[in-house]
Amino acid sequence: MIEIPTGLPPEIVPLSWLLGVWEGTGVIDYTIGDEKVSHEFGQRVSFSHDGLPYLNYSSYAWLLDEKQTPLVTEMGYWRLSRPSVEGDPGPGMLPGADPRPFASTEAVEGLRNADEGFDIEVSLLHPGGVDELYIGQVKAARIDLATDAVMRSHSAKEYSAATRIYGLVQGHLLWAWDIAALGQDLRTHASARLARVD
């Protein structure tokens, strides 16, 4: 059963089961040509909100070796996908006009898609020069995402596409991530099982 905290902006209620800090372990399993890369890792993920209609996301992962070698970080934002309207803030720091859009549960329910889920957008930033924009859907306690765009700086390693799946299973956050990188087609990359710790 999913408990929805009180006082949430209505637009993040469909994503509210993600809120909190999650920790656990996972496995990297990626083949590059004839070479197979396999490692176990630890991960700490945080989903929070600051009263605006999106979730803040951060992730830190480390290898499960003797040194607990830092592996990767990423940060970003998760939100329902919908057209911007006059009540939305931006661009920049421009405030939105009152009243705020989708300020009630009934208004948000009108955003359901034909599959009875909600379309979502996820923007993720990696310190190695890669920015990802995912589109997908949240339906109950499952999220399916695929990259709509990947931007790379001139110094970033080659990375062209990805898919991610998240799900709440017996109180744990499970995820799987497939990537197309380093000249390879889209294939299995990593997965993890995380428990809520806060």
Side-chain angles (χ1 to χ4, degrees):
M1 182 174 161
I2 300 171
E3 283 190 37
I4 299 173
T6 58
L8 290 180
E11 282 188 74
I12 63 173
V13 169
L15 297 166
S16 64
W17 56 272
L18 292 167
L19 285 168
V21 177
W22 303 81
E23 272 191 19
T25 60
V27 177
I28 301 163
D29 186 16
Y30 193 65
T31 302
I32 306 167
D34 294 331
E35 181 186 352
K36 186 175 182 86
V37 179
S38 294
H39 293 285
E40 291 185 26
F41 64 90
Q43 184 183 32
R44 182 177 181 91
V45 170
S46 173
F47 289 94
S48 64
H49 77 95
D50 49 21
L52 293 169
Y54 54 79
L55 294 182
N56 303 304
Y57 166 83
S58 66
S59 169
Y60 169 69
W62 60 94
L63 292 177
L64 291 177
D65 57 13
E66 290 181 12
K67 297 180 182 179
Q68 302 288 289
T69 305
L71 181 60
V72 68
T73 63
E74 58 184 14
M75 58 186 301
Y77 303 96
W78 297 52
R79 69 185 188 105
L80 295 189
S81 181
R82 62 165 179 78
S84 292
V85 297
E86 190 175 327
D88 290 315
M93 294 184 71
L94 297 174
D98 283 330
R100 281 214 151 161
F102 303 98
S104 71
T105 304
E106 294 78 22
V108 172
E109 280 297 313
L111 295 172
R112 282 195 185 271
N113 60 30
D115 290 332
E116 291 301 312
F118 294 91
D119 295 329
I120 63 172
E121 298 174 7
V122 175
S123 302
L124 297 181
L125 175 65
H126 304 261
V130 173
D131 296 350
E132 300 174 275
L133 173 62
Y134 287 89
I135 58 173
Q137 113 170 323
V138 56
K139 186 173 181 181
R142 178 182 167 129
I143 295 171
D144 293 275
L145 300 169
T147 48
D148 184 52
V150 175
M151 294 188 308
R152 293 184 293 128
S153 69
H154 70 280
S155 62
K157 291 186 176 181
E158 191 272 321
Y159 180 90
S160 58
T163 62
R164 297 188 190 210
I165 298 172
Y166 293 79
L168 188 63
V169 179
Q170 296 176 339
H172 287 83
L173 179 62
L174 278 61
W175 63 259
W177 182 10
D178 294 353
I179 64 172
L182 306 175
Q184 308 305 302
D185 56 1
L186 190 66
R187 59 183 63 184
T188 299
H189 167 58
S191 60
R193 180 183 184 100
L194 311 176
R196 185 180 274 118
V197 295
D198 187 20

